[in-house]
Amino acid sequence: MESSHTDRIIRRIVGSIEQACAARGQDVSEAMVLFAVQAVILDPRNDLTLGKFFTEEDLQNLIQLCIRKLLDTTNPSLSTMKMQVYFDTTYKTRDELLHEQHRVLEEKLAPVVRDITTSCPHVQEDVENTYHNILSYMLLSSDLGSPRDIEVVRETTAALQSVFPETEMPGFMSLSKKNKEQQLRHLAKLVAGIRLYNKECGKGGRTIDDWPTILNEAISSATQAIEERLHTCYTLAHQYTALLESMQEDPRRRMQLSDFKIKEALFNVRQYERSLCMILSDVITSAEEVEKLRMQFAEMMEQLKQTVHKFSVDTSEAHPFFVALADLWSHFQDEMLLLRFCTSMTDHLQQFVEIQSQLFPEEVLTSLLERVTVKTDEKRRRETMETRVNAADFQNQEWLFPDTTENLYDLPIQYHAFCAYTIGAKGYLVPGNPAIGILKHREKCYVFSSVEAAYSFAQDPDMFIQLIIEKAWEYAELVYLLGLHHDFDCLVPQAAYVDNQLRRPMPKRDSSTQTDTHLLPPTIVASYEWNEWELRRKAIKLANLRLKSTHSVQTDVRHMRRGNSTQVYLPKDNGTQTKHDNSSNVPRQQIFFKRVQRGSSPTTPIVKIDLTRAIDET
């Protein structure tokens, strides 16, 4: 109930401010409104603190102050906060931007992949449709020309048929869904690599952009544009710093320049400088990557040519080169995406410093700088390069110097390497010089623009740190510019109480973690014993053996003798046989009687026939 109530109050405040600004022709985002609410609450001059009770009158006062701040287009602070909100919500690192781009591409290809992997064609027409979908996937995923260009379609079709003819569709459809997706990605790289190779050989590829050449020209143009804007930014920052220093030295000049909002203008150009430096760093990184990719691509293409020109080429030898070419070419496309993003951000940031020419036209700024010495950041650094803090003057503080500390310039410096003393004592920004010495206080590092500033800050660091926080209360843009989020995290206006208090609820989210049972491979020690008594037994045994010795003797008979051996053939088993088995058989008698009838004789004679064989015949 409490959380929902505060959310309604937040939405009411934001909605009221947005409507009021829109009615006066000023379109502001929700993030900008929340930033303005934070800035108004942060400013002690508005008497709105988180520890007090907020009534309906206080909320109306808060809304009116925010509206007035958002409509004050002549104040550089508003432009600085808009710049900070835009940069914070838009800027992405290389990994974040590429991850987002790959996610968008996968979402675009998801319907085609789903149609391919879930189809089960049974007739020839369905097989042809699925093969056509695979061709569409090849065209959409490679980004090697427009999918509507007939020449691109013809080249892609020829490359696909050379490595995956339609006759192989039955084997493809028998795969699992996961294996189909892997096969599709592999085929896409193969087809893209073949088209790139054909382009290199002059056999097509007219519609394929020459990314290495385009990137080199685009990087050169982007670097030049950013450096020109940085030069203008540096010039303004040096001039504003010189004016602020003259105001510190001359009270009459302070009265003369008090209405020009020079501090706010300095914060604006320093924020613009920091944003441009981050973008320029990304462009330089991209240039290094492009050069590395160009060399790898040329080397891979040369190896592929040598492989293809052999008399007998196995597909298993050439296919990995085609896949590698496609991977390298996709990296070229990624670098082009990153470069376009950097160029777009550079162009959008320009609108947030246009107020500089309105507040300080060239003739006005020239007249203000009369009899004022303007020093560049580099000149200030050279003037203090030979001076340094004497660490012996501070017994209880730790100082770091270039000649005694490794990677000194890579340390995380507080306030983005601006002089801590100048911010707290004078309220404006001057770059520090690490060569003077870096003060390490409460595990945080601070740099200074001069030895005197370092000594003054080191006398009472906590006091100056509190002064810097108070400066951020007055100028809310310093929170982002100096990296003071950890000191003002509780002031982000994301919850409120009406008639009770305005405060931020603790953020909550579900999370889980898992620890591996065995981080290292198992090592079994056979001699390990966990039993204490077994260890004692082994110890006693070793102690007993320590007092023993092994002796050996040799007799004179065996002295200088060697052992001999001989081998004999053992007798073999023989056998003999003297007995002979034989047998005989008595012939069986075969006697037959035959009666012979003769005419009408009353008696019939009987004839005996003996067919028994003789004994000697058997």
Side-chain angles (χ1 to χ4, degrees), residues 196-215:
L196 291 171
Y197 175 75
N198 291 338
K199 172 181 171 63
E200 181 71 15
C201 297
K203 299 178 181 179
R206 182 182 58 83
T207 59
I208 299 177
D209 295 320
D210 187 5
W211 287 127
T213 303
I214 296 174
L215 279 168

Side-chain angles (χ1 to χ4, degrees), residues 7 13 38 64 67 97 141 160 295 443 466 609:
D7 289 342
I13 295 173
Q38 174 183 349
Q64 293 303 319
I67 294 173
L97 185 62
S141 63
L160 177 61
M295 296 176 62
E443 301 302 323
Q466 182 60 33
I609 301 174

Side-chain angles (χ1 to χ4, degrees), residues 512-532:
S512 61
T513 184
Q514 182 177 359
T515 304
D516 291 339
T517 305
H518 300 291
L519 298 176
L520 299 176
T523 301
I524 299 176
V525 181
S527 60
Y528 172 76
E529 289 288 348
W530 63 270
N531 193 332
E532 179 183 355

Side-chain angles (χ1 to χ4, degrees), residues 98-382:
L98 294 180
H99 178 75
E100 179 67 17
Q101 175 64 17
H102 295 162
R103 185 188 62 79
V104 171
L105 180 60
E106 288 179 359
E107 290 181 354
K108 183 175 71 172
L109 296 174
V112 182
V113 175
R114 185 167 52 251
D115 291 341
I116 296 172
T117 56
T118 58
S119 62
C120 299
H122 298 289
V123 296
Q124 183 62 26
E125 183 180 355
D126 294 339
V127 173
E128 293 176 356
N129 291 336
T130 304
Y131 192 81
H132 181 73
N133 289 336
I134 294 176
L135 178 62
S136 300
Y137 179 85
M138 302 294 123
L139 291 168
L140 295 173
S141 63
S142 63
D143 195 19
L144 297 178
S146 173
R148 296 183 177 88
D149 192 329
I150 187 64
E151 184 178 352
V152 175
V153 176
R154 188 183 302 113
E155 292 178 3
T156 305
T157 304
L160 177 61
Q161 290 177 347
S162 66
V163 294
F164 185 73
E166 192 172 341
T167 55
E168 295 185 8
M169 282 296 295
F172 175 80
M173 300 312 300
S174 65
L175 299 175
S176 64
K177 185 176 183 296
K178 182 178 180 180
N179 290 336
K180 287 180 182 178
E181 294 176 354
Q182 293 177 352
Q183 182 77 352
L184 279 176
R185 288 191 290 267
H186 182 70
L187 285 175
K189 293 180 180 180
L190 268 180
V191 171
I194 292 173
R195 292 190 61 197
L196 291 171
Y197 175 75
N198 291 338
K199 172 181 171 63
E200 181 71 15
C201 297
K203 299 178 181 179
R206 182 182 58 83
T207 59
I208 299 177
D209 295 320
D210 187 5
W211 287 127
T213 303
I214 296 174
L215 279 168
N216 286 334
E217 296 175 356
I219 288 173
S220 176
S221 176
T223 303
Q224 182 180 358
I226 295 175
E227 289 179 346
E228 289 176 356
R229 297 180 184 184
L230 271 175
H231 177 72
T232 303
C233 182
Y234 289 141
T235 302
L236 289 175
H238 300 156
Q239 291 173 345
Y240 294 156
T241 303
L243 289 175
L244 290 170
E245 288 178 335
S246 66
M247 292 171 62
Q248 292 287 332
E249 298 170 357
D250 188 353
R252 288 181 301 176
R253 190 166 183 80
R254 184 184 308 124
M255 294 294 298
Q256 177 187 358
L257 301 177
S258 58
D259 296 333
F260 279 95
K261 300 180 179 179
I262 299 177
K263 281 186 181 180
E264 292 88 336
L266 176 61
F267 298 155
N268 181 263
V269 294
R270 286 298 187 185
Q271 181 62 64
Y272 184 55
E273 169 198 338
R274 176 167 175 78
S275 301
L276 288 180
C277 286
M278 292 179 66
I279 297 175
L280 181 60
S281 176
D282 290 342
V283 173
I284 293 174
T285 302
S286 183
E288 295 173 351
E289 285 294 322
V290 168
E291 182 62 22
K292 188 188 304 181
L293 289 172
R294 186 186 63 80
M295 296 176 62
Q296 292 176 354
F297 187 83
E299 180 182 356
M300 191 63 62
M301 183 65 73
E302 186 63 28
Q303 293 180 9
L304 179 59
K305 289 180 179 179
Q306 294 176 3
T307 303
V308 172
H309 290 165
K310 293 179 181 179
F311 293 103
S312 177
V313 181
D314 188 5
T315 56
S316 61
E317 296 182 19
H319 284 185
F321 291 103
F322 290 129
V323 173
L325 284 179
D327 287 335
L328 292 173
W329 198 259
S330 67
H331 291 324
F332 280 122
Q333 295 170 336
D334 291 342
E335 294 301 328
M336 192 65 206
L337 172 70
L338 291 166
L339 190 61
R340 287 172 179 167
F341 175 75
C342 292
T343 304
S344 175
M345 284 208 66
T346 304
D347 295 338
H348 279 84
L349 286 173
Q350 181 65 29
Q351 61 181 316
F352 302 115
V353 291
E354 292 176 352
I355 193 172
Q356 300 290 336
S357 59
Q358 301 173 11
L359 291 177
F360 299 97
E362 186 175 355
E363 58 276 6
V364 174
L365 192 58
T366 302
S367 64
L368 292 176
L369 289 171
E370 292 181 357
R371 297 184 300 276
V372 175
T373 303
V374 178
K375 294 181 180 180
T376 64
D377 294 343
E378 183 61 29
K379 184 177 180 180
R380 295 176 186 273
R381 192 175 294 107
R382 287 199 304 268

